[in-house]
């Protein structure tokens, strides 16, 4: 068999590539928002986060 043909795999259409890029951007934005939210909550709680009754 021809090696090039096996390595080529699935070829996506322009619409599929655009959809993949938009999905990747949405996931990256959601992750960024979560990181900022966790950071903000940590700042608001302050050092009391580590002070807990045993």
């Amino acid at each position: 068999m021809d090696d090039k043909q096996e390595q080529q795999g699935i070829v996506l259409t322009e619409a599929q590539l655009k959809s993949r890029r938009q999905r990747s951007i949405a996931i990256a934005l959601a992750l960024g928002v979560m990181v900022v939210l966790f950071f903000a909550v940590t700042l608001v709680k302050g050092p009391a986060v580590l002070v807990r009754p045993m």
Side-chain angles (χ1 to χ4, degrees):
M1 295 188 116
D2 190 19
D3 286 334
K4 280 188 176 182
Q5 197 173 26
E6 287 180 20
Q7 292 178 356
Q8 192 174 23
I10 298 172
V11 179
L12 299 177
T13 64
E14 288 297 322
Q16 289 171 325
L17 289 172
K18 184 178 179 182
S19 177
R20 176 192 278 182
R21 179 165 171 74
Q22 288 175 341
R23 190 167 45 250
S24 295
I25 291 171
I27 291 171
L29 287 175
L31 181 60
V33 168
M34 278 190 0
V35 167
V36 169
L37 180 65
F38 291 157
F39 183 71
V41 168
T42 303
L43 287 179
V44 169
K45 283 195 165 261
V49 168
L50 300 176
V51 180
R52 296 184 288 179
M54 296 299 252

